[in-house]
Amino acid sequence: MPFAPVNGINLYYEVHGSGPAVLFAHGQGGNHLSWWRQVPYFSPHYTCITFDHRAFGQSFDLDAKGRRGFGDDAMGLLDHLGIDDVRVVAHSMGGRCATALATRDPKNRVRALILSGTTGAVADEAVRLRRDEAEAARDGRGLGAFSVHPSYKERDPAGYFLLRQISRMNPGRAKDFLGPPNPPPAPEGAPPRVPMYERLREQGTPVLYLVGEHDMITPADLIEMCHRLVPGSQYHLARGSGHSVYWEKPDEFNEVALRYLLHVDGRQEVLVK
């Protein structure tokens, strides 16, 4: 089994396909297996790297860094694989890893970001207010209850079963694992922290925001607000989908995401449906 010794842990990963690199960062309910519908589609065009975030799948959070370690873990994995440039496709929780990698990597390797069902830590006061409203609308129910549109279970019972089985492969985690990290206080006289949307703007990294029409975790209007905060970013609304467009509408997700990456890379390839 391939494990990368990075950032104090052994990070599980897989590599498939050939060509420029794409890193797939899964969400809270998933692990590297979540991308089973994407890897075969992308691998004729790109080298696809899937992995288990620490505390998910076969990557154990041995030093209890939690989500604070996601960005450094990804950098360490790229170093381990000798990758000098990468595109990142991230869903939900994985968006934090993606934007951390894009804005903190000293090697500046990220060529494009596709943020699916995630703000990617982009926020201003209006976004935070809308996020709080969305949380209140879920009435205290766990995020797992909103991972897909309510109709999906009846529409694709086999797909829903697989989604749940993949989630059950993850080890248990503390309830506050995904809670807001508490950064250390800034030294006296230090400049204020720069918002993520300003960092992305300074980097100039191409960004595609992709969201489901009926997303109850990161509602479509919330993601559109984030899109407007990042100049030059693109926005795609998947009609009829809930939070997990990559799972509920894989054909649409794959075509939109791959075309975006090929466009960013200046590659004119014919996609066969």
Side-chain angles (χ1 to χ4, degrees):
M1 292 184 182
F3 288 91
V6 301
N7 197 23
I9 65 169
N10 290 319
L11 197 76
Y12 181 82
Y13 71 94
E14 294 184 6
V15 179
H16 303 274
S18 60
V22 178
L23 182 72
F24 291 86
H26 65 80
Q28 176 186 355
N31 48 55
H32 74 281
L33 290 171
S34 298
W35 303 106
W36 69 284
R37 293 291 295 270
Q38 282 67 55
V39 170
Y41 190 86
F42 280 75
S43 58
H45 310 273
Y46 288 96
T47 297
C48 299
I49 306 162
T50 60
F51 70 103
D52 294 335
H53 285 291
R54 61 170 61 226
F56 293 82
Q58 299 180 69
S59 298
F60 298 100
D61 190 23
L62 300 177
D63 54 6
K65 288 189 177 80
R67 58 180 278 186
R68 293 178 294 109
F70 283 177
D72 290 334
D73 293 345
M75 291 180 221
L77 177 59
L78 296 180
D79 288 342
H80 176 78
L81 295 173
I83 291 174
D84 296 325
D85 71 88
V86 70
R87 302 116 196 92
V88 186
V89 177
H91 173 65
S92 199
M93 177 191 77
R96 295 273 180 163
C97 169
T99 53
L101 180 59
T103 59
R104 288 174 35 211
D105 181 14
K107 298 181 180 178
N108 194 27
R109 285 174 281 197
V110 176
R111 300 293 174 256
L113 293 174
I114 295 179
L115 302 176
S116 168
T118 180
T119 65
V122 166
D124 61 5
E125 286 303 315
V127 168
R128 283 187 280 270
L129 177 61
R130 181 65 184 94
R131 185 182 60 201
D132 292 344
E133 291 174 349
E135 181 179 358
R138 296 194 295 273
D139 198 25
R141 298 174 66 190
L143 296 182
F146 302 95
S147 62
V148 292
H149 189 271
S151 67
Y152 179 73
K153 183 177 181 179
E154 288 72 33
R155 180 161 48 88
D156 186 1
Y160 185 79
F161 175 78
L162 180 58
L163 179 73
R164 293 303 181 199
Q165 291 300 103
I166 288 175
S167 180
R168 290 189 180 107
M169 294 177 64
N170 292 327
R173 296 178 300 276
K175 288 185 178 180
D176 63 350
F177 180 83
L178 292 179
N182 295 316
E188 186 176 351
R193 290 186 174 90
V194 179
M196 180 60 74
Y197 61 87
E198 291 188 10
R199 284 185 268 168
L200 288 172
R201 180 171 58 203
E202 291 171 3
Q203 289 287 113
T205 305
V207 178
L208 168 64
Y209 277 104
L210 198 154
V211 65
E213 178 184 13
H214 304 297
D215 193 328
M216 291 287 288
I217 297 176
T218 53
D221 63 315
L222 168 66
I223 297 303
E224 188 171 8
M225 293 165 70
C226 296
H227 152 60
R228 290 173 180 170
L229 284 172
V230 182
S233 65
Q234 301 295 310
Y235 174 84
H236 179 82
L237 178 68
R239 299 286 182 184
S241 180
H243 181 59
S244 301
V245 179
Y246 77 101
W247 192 280
E248 300 175 65
K249 300 276 187 175
D251 292 341
E252 179 177 351
F253 180 96
N254 289 348
E255 182 175 354
V256 169
L258 182 55
R259 284 191 185 280
Y260 182 74
L261 293 185
L262 291 174
H263 171 74
V264 168
D265 285 335
R267 297 166 61 183
Q268 304 298 321
E269 298 184 24
V270 177
L271 303 185
V272 179
K273 294 185 179 180

